[in-house]
Amino acid sequence: MTALPLALYTHAVIEHATRFSNQRIAPVDIAALRENNPEHWMKATAIRALTLDAVAAANSGHSGMPMGMADVATVLFEKHLKFDVSNPQWPDRDRFILSAGHGSMLIYSLLYLMGDKQVTLDQVKNFRQMGALTAGHPENFLIDAVETTTGPLGQGIANSVGFAMAEEIQRAQYGRKLVDHNTYVIAGDGCLMEGISQEAIGLAGRHSLGNLIVFWDNNNITIDGTVELSDRTNQVQRFKASGWHVQEIDGHDPEAIDAAIVAAKKTKKPSMIACKTHIAIGHAAQDTSKGHGALTDADQLAAAKAAYGWPGAAFEVPADIKAQWEAIGTRGAAEREAWEARFAEASKQKQDRFNRAYALDAPNKLSATIKALKKQISEQQPKVATRKSSEMALAAINPIMPETVGGSADLTGSNNTKTSDLGVFDTDNRKGRYIYWGIREHGMASAMNGMALHGGIRPYGGTFFCFTDYARPAMRLAALSKIPTVFVMTHDSIGVGEDGPTHQPVEHLAICRATPNTYVFRPADTVETAESWELALSSKETPSVLALTRQNLPTVRTEHKLANLTSKGAYVLAEAEGKRQVILIATGSEVSTALDAKALLEAEGIGTRVVSMPCMELFAEQDEAYRRKVLPAGAAVRVGIEAAVRQGWDQWLLGERAKPGKSDFVGMDRFGASAPAGELFEKFGITAANVADKVKALL
Amino acid sequence: MTALPLALYTHAVIEHATRFSNQRIAPVDIAALRENNPEHWMKATAIRALTLDAVAAANSGHSGMPMGMADVATVLFEKHLKFDVSNPQWPDRDRFILSAGHGSMLIYSLLYLMGDKQVTLDQVKNFRQMGALTAGHPENFLIDAVETTTGPLGQGIANSVGFAMAEEIQRAQYGRKLVDHNTYVIAGDGCLMEGISQEAIGLAGRHSLGNLIVFWDNNNITIDGTVELSDRTNQVQRFKASGWHVQEIDGHDPEAIDAAIVAAKKTKKPSMIACKTHIAIGHAAQDTSKGHGALTDADQLAAAKAAYGWPGAAFEVPADIKAQWEAIGTRGAAEREAWEARFAEASKQKQDRFNRAYALDAPNKLSATIKALKKQISEQQPKVATRKSSEMALAAINPIMPETVGGSADLTGSNNTKTSDLGVFDTDNRKGRYIYWGIREHGMASAMNGMALHGGIRPYGGTFFCFTDYARPAMRLAALSKIPTVFVMTHDSIGVGEDGPTHQPVEHLAICRATPNTYVFRPADTVETAESWELALSSKETPSVLALTRQNLPTVRTEHKLANLTSKGAYVLAEAEGKRQVILIATGSEVSTALDAKALLEAEGIGTRVVSMPCMELFAEQDEAYRRKVLPAGAAVRVGIEAAVRQGWDQWLLGERAKPGKSDFVGMDRFGASAPAGELFEKFGITAANVADKVKALL
């Protein structure tokens, strides 16, 4: 290959280059790029042309990134990515993650070109339209070949840490014959400016995730202008500071791209390849922030195609180029078949375990294990915090579910997430099933999503419930992307006590419940905690939040029931002794408060039912007959009790045929305070006496 | 000073040291430390002793960090920090931010020792108890000398970027005679592992915030164990990659600390001083994760004090040491007086502007300006998106409020946050009042909190409403800490259209409304947007969220009213023509849908009132008589309309004396989809026709 017009950026690794030296935007000679490697050029330009056409048709989308990264993607798919378009979910495939998800036409173009069954030409033509699989940002729940839903920046790169960890853990569990693949990521400047990227970079470096290869689309452009407007970080130095292998290349030079990937695959460190690219290359908007968005001007589009030497009309790909891409799409078929043959040779037991974990089927034993624990607890009636109850449940579950991987964001002893059998995941113990995530709630949550999406693993991880805030973008994506991640959120109320309002959640139950497709469990004791875990680990498409106490609670489920009562969302825990005049509805730590209030009221002859409501979402899913059984229409006073804001409760207190003017709520309407927990419950009136008073005021 | 036992760590700057070399924990010789500098030692040890006593008395808290950082804090307060304990809010003081807020006894000890009026010995003895100012984590709303509420890790260091920017902007506005101070931060490993720290580091480096000096408490210990469990990042290299000045010192060597601060004050870059310290120094738990928490064992406490050579009983500080500290506390009095003299010499206009901005008083002109804009809009009736309405309001406001500082997280053209008069804040334009925050929603929100807390500035900043998720920890702290930051959140529903569900908020109104002390404005048109801005910029203790549309909306306030109707939270926008049978309640973009539905219903003779409800919190604050006027009890059908989840609406639809069984809600109960906005509103039934149908089904 002769000298490239981008002579500044050779594929030699440039050490210690500063961000600024990177950022001088050299001119680019499209004609030379075409001539230097015409076959590569046309394949890559098919991506560019389809992107321009689809975005123009939609009058919406992001043209520039797929155009700029087309060369990298072409070399990756043509020469490296282990992928078979006929079976895009083959377990030992390489993973490709488009962290810069706004460049979705990159992945749709690739899939269409390779002959993906879902992403047809019609889908490309209907980019971003109602009902199309080709959504504005790539969605894993629409297209099989899309590994993860991206768009909110930084999520893909943090997901990828989970993908890479999952691969390491499964390789250790099943052997290299069955698990041996890489995770490739395309990340943009936006991904790297988001704080979550630092959490991801630190984790990948710490764990020497050598199977992780990140391409940084170093185009120096953001929506507001050049990157320098807001950042001068030397990304090369930053990645190196966390132990990454870093290379800098011209992202339009196929030989440099290939050589960098070869080197990245060899190193035992995670790799970052800084690809100097031109956003919207060849278009009038090249190297400008306008090039980031939707390029829809027909004349400019035609001019760009002319400069490319692209022959086709809109959405037309010349047959020879399409054929070359289809060959790339089937390149991995032989590898897949070889893997299937190796898999067939594995023991039946290994196959079953592998298949069960990938299918997200809980083991048959799970139900019996939970029942046995419940029986024991109902007999022994321990008084423990539900975070401890959770540990007791995990101690029973983890040995029978080798697919669980636990962890905590530096609160292991507080979240009670570590059981003795897990072992610690580390560079010298890839079998370890416990991750010390560090003080990285967001990175943990996002990496857990990646682990679950990788397949074969059921991740759970803990932090304080208040720090749901930090993990929130990833928790939303779990819900949206239908990932059954389990978030173990302890210290779930003012019961936190002395740490004070910065650490006391009051609005977080409402936040989690407001989010579609999320189960929020707030169990009242060890029995309900065990039931919640059973449900969380049986869920295939819905993440679970377990809100658990810091403080000890009595066992309220003192009568053993085989049935998982939590699965109904709410149930009658204690029936009124005389005529039912009152229904108290409570969750978690307030269920025992409700029972105490019932005792006070019954002593005065006021018949009081106590309903435990560990999961509002599951209760809302029940048929009306069941809901009516638990919350009968009409005469009884209803009082809800939860040490949190009222938002979300009115459907049960005012709706569901409640009697007008006959309901109340005992909870929080402000932030908490710093004091011993018991005093706080008194101060804020979350006591049996106050509940009884409120009831009597309504009677 | 003779060689320290920590000989490895001299105060010479160690270039290119790796994190690992830092992390070898050298032994420490307490006796030598005492002997080398006895006077310093006893002053610093007063902090250690008070910390040990207070945590032991509370049986709760974090002992190790204040013990480890006592030397740094002592040198900082004794020799550098411009601070006057008699007036801890003097505007030109240096700011001291304890980002590692769990070490709150550090700041309480310092304040008590110096003679702060609020933090008395009784307060120290009541650490973490009910009603004490000495909360578990430092709270700015309890103690004047506490600059910001910390505890959620990483917030303090990101706040500090805002403090330092505010100082630069105000210095440019008022001159060095009135504004010339530094911002000092103590940050721990937790702060640096949180992703938000990277956003802060990148911003500070980009803007060469030379007045920002961060001490990293490099003690190598987190709650779960040593830092290496979860991170091997070379922090020195990481900070340098973003353009920081970095020094590495022995954090127990007072001369090294002093020399490092002197050097840090000289450089024009932001400074990080890596202080190698021993957590819980001198205690049995030194250098262990146990040392991070509450050290309460009486014998170990006594042994530590003996090793220190500390003479006092619990909570006793020898008079000479107390006197030395009290002298430190008044060290800044002369500087304050000199400043007051300079301030007195400033022009009356300058003084008034300064005082008004610090008091968070809106200018008198604001009300008239908003009224004039409203009148013009009601006449012209433009059809614009409320994000554009917001820009129109800002174009009127910014010229009369020089204290506003705007910005966006790389969505300037989408958030419409930049008005032409602001200028861009940069290293060569400190007068610029617009910040390009980059793709850093979290860092932006936290830094805005810091700007507001610094005083003299009213920050507002924009991103997509969906990315409330990223900013959420800082938005909660704004509410908790009573900071009137304004969050400009555009693209507030499925009206986002083609970008799809990753970018379409459905639960975010509920999330913001669930948070105490937060005004959530969702204006229906330009008039309500202007009213919302007036309220947001008049708030002194409550942050505001402005949820604004991407899509154009008609003007619904076509009749000019002088009164700010949004201040009531909800009001009758259009009265029923005949007998009132229906009340439609809507917010934002759905108000015009409600008006269209009213037209359909009135055409069938169904008298329909439309209530616009731009701010639920303000409506809830009104007296019952007003609420009853807007939502009369009884017969009328009520339907709520909002392109979001129902959570939060039931109080108006089922409560407030609604007629049972006669209400409904038109909104979202799932995530959105990728398609043109108009089609999405049809698909999800958020249309006038569907509203009319629902009403008729209830009649």
Side-chain angles (χ1 to χ4, degrees), chain A residues 5 90 130 174 180 187 290 372 480 521 540 592 597 682:
Chain A
W90 158 45
M130 183 68 76
Y174 295 101
D180 187 17
K290 186 172 180 302
L480 173 60
F521 295 103
K540 294 190 176 197
S592 58
E682 286 288 336

Side-chain angles (χ1 to χ4, degrees), chain A residues 513 520-524 528 565-566 568-573 584-588 591 610-620 627 630-631 641-642 648-649 651-653 656:
Chain A
R513 289 174 184 149
V520 185
F521 295 103
R522 190 163 188 254
E528 280 192 3
L565 300 185
T566 300
K568 298 283 194 185
Y571 61 91
V572 179
L573 175 66
L584 301 178
I585 316 170
T587 76
V591 173
V610 172
V611 169
S612 180
M613 190 178 271
C615 183
M616 288 190 182
E617 297 76 28
L618 286 171
F619 187 57
R627 297 205 315 274
V630 176
L631 299 179
I641 320 169
E642 184 169 78
W649 274 87
Q651 58 187 316
W652 317 120
L653 300 179
E656 293 283 309

Side-chain angles (χ1 to χ4, degrees), chain A residues 195 199 206 222 228 472 507, chain B residues 195 199 206 228 472 507:
Chain A
E199 303 185 22
R206 167 61 185 82
T222 75
E228 284 91 341
R472 165 79 202 150
E507 71 273 43
Chain B
E199 303 186 20
R206 167 60 186 83
E228 283 92 341
R472 166 80 201 148
E507 71 274 43

Side-chain angles (χ1 to χ4, degrees), chain A residues 28 30 48 52 63-69 217 219 221 252 277-288 290-293 295 304 308:
Chain A
V28 58
I30 301 285
R48 297 184 175 103
L52 282 166
S63 313
M65 184 284 211
M67 295 164 73
M69 286 298 281
D217 179 15
N219 61 33
I221 295 296
H252 299 301
T277 63
H278 294 272
I279 198 167
I281 186 170
H283 187 277
Q286 177 187 308
D287 298 324
T288 70
K290 186 172 180 302
H292 174 93
L295 303 176
Y308 295 158

